[in-house]
Amino acid sequence: MEYLLSTEGLTKRYGRHKAVHGVDIHVKQGDIYGLIGRNGAGKTTLLKMISGLAAPTEGSFSLFGKRGKEAYRYLSRVGTLIESPGVYPNLSAGENLKLKCLAMGVRKKKVIEELLDTVGLAHVGKKRVKHFSMGMKQRLGIALALVGEPDLVILDEPINGLDPQGIAEVRETLLRLNREQNITFILSSHILEELSKIATHYGMIHNGVLLQELTRDELMAKCSERIELKTDDAAKACTVLESIGITRYKVMDSHTIHIFERLNDSGEITMALAGQQVKTISITVKNEALEDYYLNLTGGGINA
Ligand code: ATP
């Protein structure tokens, strides 16, 4: 498959400490890729390497189908907001954008008004950035990352420190850009619940290692409400389930079935199985919340 960005064994060592270790991520055109990891997991370091802001110790990445040194030539098609947006607090949003356009040689007329409009800051006029709310600053950071019409935009913790309204505003802005301009995004966060409202794909990173890559549907399936049935004969149990009208189930192994409907009917299911001499070893309703799933994956415990 052709990826817009992929990494191969990407590693960054600071002295003896491996901040990122052998990471392979895969991002397709049009994806909103959520990189999820606790504080210190290695998210920023990974994003810096794929933005050309830090040199990998080992490994490489490919951008727009080009690998190694050639990939670096395509970084002009990548917009970034990594760590806090580099803004001039005494200037207005428009003036900040003007400076970035000048630095990047962007001369297109009306580009500043268009960008301000895109991120919902068209109304701010001459207000200095130092008087902006966190959400407004963050949206200005996104506008700055959009200068030069990038195909891929990399945002490090774009919702960090925002209140619920600010989070919603940033989320809507990103979804609109993805939908209307087909911009591919890579976003990092330590809050899976928030990322889940926007990301189409996930990379879960912990202690510098990528634990898992999965699609939104795969994640939702893992966290959805279900009955977990353990029997002595899953194949025979399926026939029994079908006989009582249950069709939304998945056989996990020769003893385990996940059932995604009639979550209150455990009693009926057990009786139907018994009636056909299928032994129920256990039957439980599971509803693993997103954060629980992530905590389990990373070995539990919270690291603020
Ligand atoms: P956070 O959400 O806290 O920013 P993160 O997932 O972005 O976390 P990184 O900032 O990439 O994590 O840091 C990963 C590890 O690398 C941490 O242990 C950090 O202390 C270390 N690290 C990052 N940058 C440097 C540096 N320039 N020199 C030495 N160690 C570093």
Side-chain angles (χ1 to χ4, degrees):
M1 184 180 289
E2 180 80 359
Y3 293 105
L4 191 127
L5 175 126
S6 63
T7 67
E8 215 171 75
L10 215 52
T11 299
K12 181 74 184 177
R13 211 177 290 123
Y14 291 111
R16 296 170 120 203
H17 176 63
K18 272 188 182 167
V20 171
H21 183 43
V23 165
D24 297 354
I25 63 166
H26 306 86
V27 183
K28 298 191 300 303
Q29 164 103 42
D31 285 354
I32 300 181
Y33 189 98
L35 187 65
I36 177 91
R38 300 187 213 174
N39 293 112
K43 304 179 296 296
T44 305
T45 307
L46 176 61
L47 297 184
K48 278 184 175 170
M49 285 192 280
I50 59 179
S51 305
L53 300 172
T57 313
E58 282 165 41
S60 63
F61 64 91
S62 116
L63 252 185
F64 304 100
K66 307 288 176 195
R67 187 162 288 282
K69 280 186 184 155
E70 266 214 83
Y72 283 86
R73 300 221 320 260
Y74 285 79
L75 285 172
S76 57
R77 288 169 63 184
V78 180
T80 56
L81 170 60
I82 293 188
E83 294 172 333
S84 56
V87 292
Y88 297 96
N90 282 318
L91 300 182
S92 68
E95 287 164 340
N96 268 284
L97 281 166
K98 195 170 176 183
L99 284 177
K100 177 92 187 252
C101 287
L102 281 172
M104 290 186 63
V106 173
R107 290 196 181 81
K108 200 177 126 197
K109 272 188 188 170
K110 293 207 168 175
V111 68
I112 294 168
E113 290 109 278
E114 280 169 15
L115 284 170
L116 288 173
D117 192 40
T118 299
V119 298
L121 291 177
H123 61 284
V124 295
K126 292 196 183 323
K127 188 174 190 167
R128 292 184 199 184
V129 171
K130 67 180 174 188
H131 300 306
F132 277 16
S133 67
M134 284 282 281
M136 290 165 77
K137 275 189 199 148
Q138 207 62 355
R139 281 185 285 146
L140 174 58
I142 294 169
L144 289 164
L146 291 172
V147 172
E149 300 180 22
D151 297 292
L152 169 65
V153 173
I154 297 175
L155 306 172
D156 188 18
E157 300 266 5
I159 55 168
N160 210 10
L162 300 185
D163 60 19
Q165 186 180 342
I167 291 175
E169 285 169 2
V170 167
R171 192 167 60 222
E172 288 312 310
T173 303
L174 301 183
L175 282 170
R176 192 162 34 78
L177 288 165
N178 175 256
R179 200 171 49 235
E180 293 174 4
Q181 299 185 27
N182 199 25
I183 295 177
T184 305
F185 284 98
I186 302 178
L187 319 169
S188 73
S189 179
H190 58 282
I191 311 169
L192 182 55
E193 193 70 45
E194 273 310 326
L195 267 188
S196 72
K197 293 180 183 148
I198 177 168
T200 58
H201 293 75
Y202 300 86
M204 302 194 175
I205 188 168
H206 186 58
N207 289 341
V209 175
L210 192 78
L211 298 178
Q212 200 170 54
E213 255 191 332
L214 70 180
T215 65
R216 171 165 41 201
D217 286 351
E218 286 166 343
L219 179 65
M220 291 308 154
K222 282 180 191 291
C223 298
S224 63
E225 270 194 306
R226 61 181 182 258
I227 293 175
E228 281 191 16
L229 169 66
K230 284 199 184 291
T231 76
D232 59 346
D233 186 342
K236 205 168 164 195
C238 291
T239 318
V240 178
L241 292 178
E242 301 263 352
S243 75
I244 56 169
I246 292 177
T247 52
R248 290 186 52 228
Y249 64 83
K250 191 168 178 192
V251 179
M252 308 307 288
D253 57 44
S254 59
H255 295 289
T256 314
I257 302 175
H258 289 177
I259 301 166
F260 302 102
E261 61 183 326
R262 310 227 323 243
L263 302 181
N264 296 321
D265 289 352
S266 300
E268 190 193 337
I269 294 169
T270 314
M271 277 171 62
L273 291 169
Q276 297 301 318
Q277 282 76 51
V278 182
K279 190 173 161 196
T280 299
I281 299 167
S282 66
I283 184 160
T284 42
V285 177
K286 288 258 167 110
N287 180 13
E288 195 171 27
L290 285 172
E291 295 302 335
D292 292 340
Y293 173 73
Y294 173 60
L295 281 176
N296 283 337
L297 192 72
T298 55
I302 293 177
N303 154 354

